[in-house]
Amino acid sequence: MLDPQAQPDLTAVLARAYGLTVIALERLPVGQVTVNYRARVGDRLLFVKHYADGTDLTAEQAAVDQTRLAGQYQVPVATLRPSLEGDSVVRQGGVAVSVWEWVPGAVVQDGLNPAQQRAAGHALGRLHTAFAGHPAGAGPSARLKKWMNPDLAKLDATTGKLLGIAGERAQRDAFDEQALRTLAERRAVLPRIPDLLAGLPPLTTQVLHGDYSAVNLLFDSDELTAVLDFLPPDPFLVAYELGRIAFDPRTVVLDEDWITAGVNLVGAYLETNPHLPAADVTACARVALIQLLTSLYGVKQHYLKPGLIQDDLDQFWALRHGAATRLLDNLADVESALAQAAHDR
C-alpha cells in the first residue's frame, strides 16, 4: 500500500542523496520500529528504511557495521547501498533513511521447517563466531545485570493495570477477553521467576545480533537469503539469542514436535559454533522462558501505546503467552534434550 504523505519527501531525498529516480514507492506491512518501503527504480527493486524522528543515527550506523561484519563470515545479509556521499544513513530535513539492495525471500510466519531450522542455526553460529572477539563485548553487561534482577513488583503492577483497563471496557472485544485470561495466568506464575533465575549457571556473554528472530530472517523456500535488522553492539547472553530462535513462540505453539525442532536448530548452531559451553546450550530454553515471563510485549502496547502494526503485536502476544506456558510446563524435558545435544556434538 502507498503512503501518500511520506512519498514526496522520501522520493525527494532518494533523488538528491542517492541519485535515484523512483518510479514507485510502496510501504511494506513489516517493522515495528521503522517504516519500510519497496522502491522501484527502473527495472530494479530497493529496500528503503525510514527512521522515526529522534532515532539515534550513530547507533544505526553501528548496526550497519555489524551487518557488514557478519557478511564477512558467510552470514547471508542484505547489501547496503551508500549515498552519493558514501554515507550509510542519510538525514535530510526531517527525513532519515538507509537504502539496501532488495533480497528475495519472505518471513516464515508459521514456524520454521526442519531445513529452515538448520539454516537459521548455522547462520547464528557463524554470526556468534564473527562477534565473539568484538571489543564492545569485553566489558560488563549493564543489560544483563538488569535482566537478572527483574522488578517483579512493577511487573505485577503493570499486569494489574492492564487487567483493569481490559476489564473496565463497556464493550469487550475478543482481544479483551483473551487479555483478561492470559494476563491473569501470567500474573499467577510471576512468583516462579526467582527460582527459574536461581537455576541458571554462569553463562557466556558477548556481542550478539540483538534481535535474531523469525521476523528478521528471509527465506526463499528452505534457503536463508538474509539476516536483517542487526542492532548496535551490546553484550548479552549467548543463551538468550540461541534459545529465543530455537524456541521461537511460533515453533513452540504451532509445532507439536517443538522440542525436537528446537534441538534441531541448536544442533545446527553447534556445527558452526562448536565451542559454546554445554551450560549455555542446556540453559538456552530457560533463558528464553524467563524472557517471555518477564515481558508483556504486545498486550502492553495494545492498551497503553499501540505499535505501528498493532494487529501483529496482538497475535504475537497470544503466541508468546502460549509458548511461555508450554516451556514452563515442559522445562525439565527440554533441558534434558538440550543437555544431550551438547554432549553429542
Side-chain angles (χ1 to χ4, degrees):
M1 63 181 174
L2 294 175
D3 185 343
Q5 290 185 328
Q7 188 173 3
D9 292 339
L10 280 173
T11 53
V13 170
L14 293 173
R16 289 194 302 267
Y18 291 88
L20 297 173
T21 302
V22 176
I23 296 173
L25 192 65
E26 178 187 5
R27 181 171 175 179
L28 302 172
V30 294
Q32 294 291 345
V33 178
T34 57
V35 180
N36 301 308
Y37 297 86
R38 175 167 45 213
R40 183 173 294 279
V41 180
D43 60 355
R44 298 186 60 195
L45 293 176
L46 298 171
F47 182 85
V48 178
K49 185 178 291 190
H50 183 192
Y51 301 98
D53 292 344
T55 298
D56 183 346
L57 298 187
T58 300
E60 294 301 326
Q61 175 62 63
V64 171
D65 293 341
Q66 294 297 93
T67 306
R68 288 171 168 160
L69 177 58
Q72 294 172 14
Y73 281 75
Q74 288 73 56
V75 177
V77 296
T79 301
L80 180 92
R81 185 184 181 109
S83 72
L84 296 175
E85 299 289 331
D87 296 321
S88 300
V89 182
V90 169
R91 184 192 293 280
Q92 289 194 358
V95 177
V97 299
S98 61
V99 179
W100 306 76
E101 299 295 336
W102 185 262
V103 179
V107 170
V108 177
Q109 301 286 356
D110 52 0
L112 305 181
N113 67 34
Q116 292 164 347
Q117 291 155 13
R118 291 190 59 77
H122 282 147
L124 185 60
R126 293 190 191 98
L127 193 157
H128 284 174
T129 299
F131 294 169
H134 198 293
S141 172
R143 181 183 172 199
L144 178 57
K145 182 177 180 181
K146 182 178 179 180
W147 189 89
M148 291 292 296
N149 297 277
D151 188 339
L152 297 181
K154 181 179 179 181
L155 185 57
D156 181 77
T158 302
T159 305
K161 179 179 181 179
L162 298 176
L163 281 166
I165 294 171
E168 291 168 8
R169 289 195 164 180
Q171 291 186 325
R172 297 178 194 157
D173 60 19
F175 185 84
D176 295 326
E177 297 296 342
Q178 179 191 75
L180 289 171
R181 174 182 60 80
T182 54
L183 286 167
E185 292 172 354
R186 176 62 57 84
R187 199 176 200 182
V189 300
L190 292 182
R192 299 182 63 178
I193 293 174
D195 285 343
L196 289 169
L197 284 163
L200 289 173
L203 296 172
T204 303
T205 61
Q206 67 162 72
V207 169
L208 310 172
H209 173 282
D211 193 14
Y212 196 87
S213 59
V215 297
N216 288 328
L217 304 178
L218 290 184
F219 283 91
D220 184 359
S221 186
D222 292 339
E223 179 188 358
L224 178 61
T225 56
V227 178
L228 307 173
D229 287 346
F230 286 71
L231 295 184
D234 183 26
F236 196 56
L237 297 173
V238 174
Y240 163 82
E241 194 147 84
L242 178 57
R244 185 177 183 225
I245 187 64
F247 299 100
D248 178 273
R250 300 162 189 80
T251 298
V252 175
V253 173
L254 302 176
D255 189 337
E256 286 302 315
D257 203 11
W258 59 275
I259 297 178
T260 299
V263 172
N264 181 44
L265 191 150
V266 170
Y269 173 94
L270 292 173
E271 290 172 7
T272 51
N273 187 19
H275 303 299
L276 185 67
D280 294 272
V281 177
T282 304
C284 74
R286 181 180 293 251
V287 172
L289 171 59
I290 293 168
Q291 177 64 23
L292 289 171
L293 291 178
T294 54
S295 171
L296 296 171
Y297 182 66
V299 68
K300 185 175 179 180
Q301 283 78 4
H302 183 98
Y303 290 111
L304 300 181
K305 188 178 180 181
L308 288 175
I309 310 175
Q310 187 57 45
D311 286 348
D312 287 356
L313 294 182
D314 290 349
Q315 295 171 23
F316 200 39
W317 162 252
L319 282 170
R320 284 167 61 87
H321 180 72
T325 301
R326 260 195 175 179
L327 275 167
L328 187 60
D329 291 344
N330 296 275
L331 186 60
D333 290 340
V334 179
E335 291 188 330
S336 176
L338 289 168
Q340 188 62 50
H343 178 269
D344 290 344
R345 64 179 133 173

